[in-house]
Amino acid sequence: MKITKGTPKAMAFLDLLKQEGCLVDVYSEDFFDRQPAYSENPYAPFFKSGLARVNQLEADPKEKIKPKNHLLFIYLDPYKRELTDQLLSVYPLLKMKFEAFHKPDFLILNLFTKQMLCIGFGRKNQLFAYDPAYEFSIDFFGYTGMGDGGKYIKRFIEHDSHDLVEDFAHALGQLSVAMFDWDHLPHNDEAIGITLDEGPKDDGLFHIDDEEEGYTKEEMEDFLERFADCQGRGDEALIVINSFFPQCEWGELNTGDY
């Protein structure tokens, strides 16, 4: 299936998104070609060889799954507000949703089923997912939504032979929890490290930024371990997310809304 359906305005907008690095046709040569070979990085989320399976499915007349070119992943880059404005012009139904709630960070378009998933981080960096034309809340792989028993997603991923939507969802879910945990630790790892280097105050405790509340050395070291754990989980999630959109960063996805 080629990306040829849609109004001329919509097609021109999709072309622009691709030029700006904000659209990925995931079941395409472009996507798999930019992934490493297994020999280059056996720990990578995806590999160049994945394209061979796609081509095999497309060529086999007995196979019902035909993944090629049917899923478009879109990143709504906060530094490219003009692209979001154009999106709302092309698809006005989104405007009310965007104005009433947190703006989604990602869209996934299924060209076979004509479904649109809007996914993002909301208050407390919790994931949300919806389809502006869908009347029920969406169970997004257990991370958000309830009420449809996963029926929406089941239809959405019928041709997703490599489970790319699910892998993306799990990465977003992992980053969501890592950001939440990080933001609920006191101060930040840099301030704690500086305070440890400066040593305890006269009361024998460590006071971050000279605040009244003090901590023992053991508590401070525990904070650093927990920060490192959050960072590790977040970095692991970003490896998957960056396979789709290399420009995505923790700081830009974190809403800071608590």
Side-chain angles (χ1 to χ4, degrees):
M1 178 178 181
K2 294 184 178 180
I3 308 171
T4 56
K5 295 183 179 180
T7 66
K9 186 177 182 180
M11 297 310 301
F13 178 61
L14 293 179
D15 286 340
L16 177 61
L17 285 172
K18 188 173 182 179
Q19 293 170 20
E20 293 288 332
C22 295
L23 181 149
V24 182
D25 177 0
V26 295
Y27 281 102
S28 68
E29 284 188 31
D30 287 346
F31 176 74
F32 285 103
D33 280 351
R34 75 187 200 195
Q35 308 306 321
Y38 181 83
S39 59
E40 296 173 323
N41 181 4
Y43 302 104
F46 315 110
F47 304 104
K48 289 184 185 297
S49 57
L51 183 62
R53 175 59 176 161
V54 174
N55 291 334
Q56 181 184 27
L57 290 169
E58 291 289 333
D60 189 344
K62 295 181 181 179
E63 283 286 355
K64 294 182 179 180
I65 296 176
K66 303 295 181 183
K68 199 168 186 180
N69 304 123
H70 85 288
L71 284 179
L72 305 182
F73 282 47
I74 295 171
Y75 173 48
L76 298 180
D77 193 324
Y79 292 110
K80 297 180 179 180
R81 176 68 200 191
E82 69 282 0
L83 294 180
T84 301
D85 292 339
Q86 288 191 48
L87 171 66
L88 299 180
S89 175
V90 170
Y91 199 66
L93 184 61
L94 285 170
K95 188 171 183 181
M96 184 171 63
K97 291 280 189 180
F98 277 37
E99 291 177 347
F101 308 104
H102 275 277
K103 177 181 70 63
D105 299 287
F106 305 97
L107 307 181
I108 305 179
L109 309 184
N110 187 316
L111 302 183
F112 282 171
T113 61
K114 308 303 180 188
Q115 291 171 289
M116 174 190 288
L117 264 177
C118 301
I119 309 158
F121 298 94
R123 190 167 184 275
K124 297 184 179 181
N125 281 317
Q126 293 184 341
L127 275 184
F128 63 82
Y130 62 82
D131 184 326
Y134 190 63
E135 60 179 310
F136 300 110
S137 60
I138 296 172
D139 178 4
F140 188 54
F141 297 98
Y143 291 106
T144 183
M146 57 185 296
D148 72 340
K151 293 179 181 178
Y152 180 97
I153 291 296
K154 183 178 180 180
R155 180 168 176 246
F156 198 95
I157 62 174
E158 284 177 346
H159 294 271
D160 186 6
S161 59
H162 288 53
D163 299 325
L164 298 181
V165 175
E166 185 171 3
D167 287 344
F168 193 64
H170 288 326
L172 293 177
Q174 184 172 328
L175 181 60
S176 168
V177 175
M179 290 192 296
F180 181 88
D181 291 346
W182 176 286
D183 291 337
H184 282 79
L185 287 170
H187 297 272
N188 57 67
D189 55 341
E190 182 178 1
I192 291 173
I194 292 172
T195 304
L196 275 171
D197 290 341
E198 291 176 345
K201 300 297 183 182
D202 292 341
D203 60 2
L205 299 176
F206 293 82
H207 296 261
I208 306 170
D209 292 337
D210 293 324
E211 289 188 352
E212 183 177 348
E213 183 177 7
Y215 303 96
T216 65
K217 183 178 181 182
E218 289 75 19
E219 288 175 320
M220 296 284 280
E221 291 174 341
D222 179 62
F223 291 149
L224 286 180
E225 289 180 5
R226 289 159 66 186
F227 272 118
D229 175 66
C230 292
Q231 185 73 58
R233 287 184 281 129
D235 288 346
E236 185 179 73
L238 280 168
I239 289 174
V240 177
I241 297 168
N242 290 154
S243 296
F244 298 91
F245 301 105
Q247 69 271 46
C248 285
E249 297 179 359
W250 174 313
E252 302 307 327
L253 296 174
N254 191 330
T255 65
D257 180 7
Y258 288 91

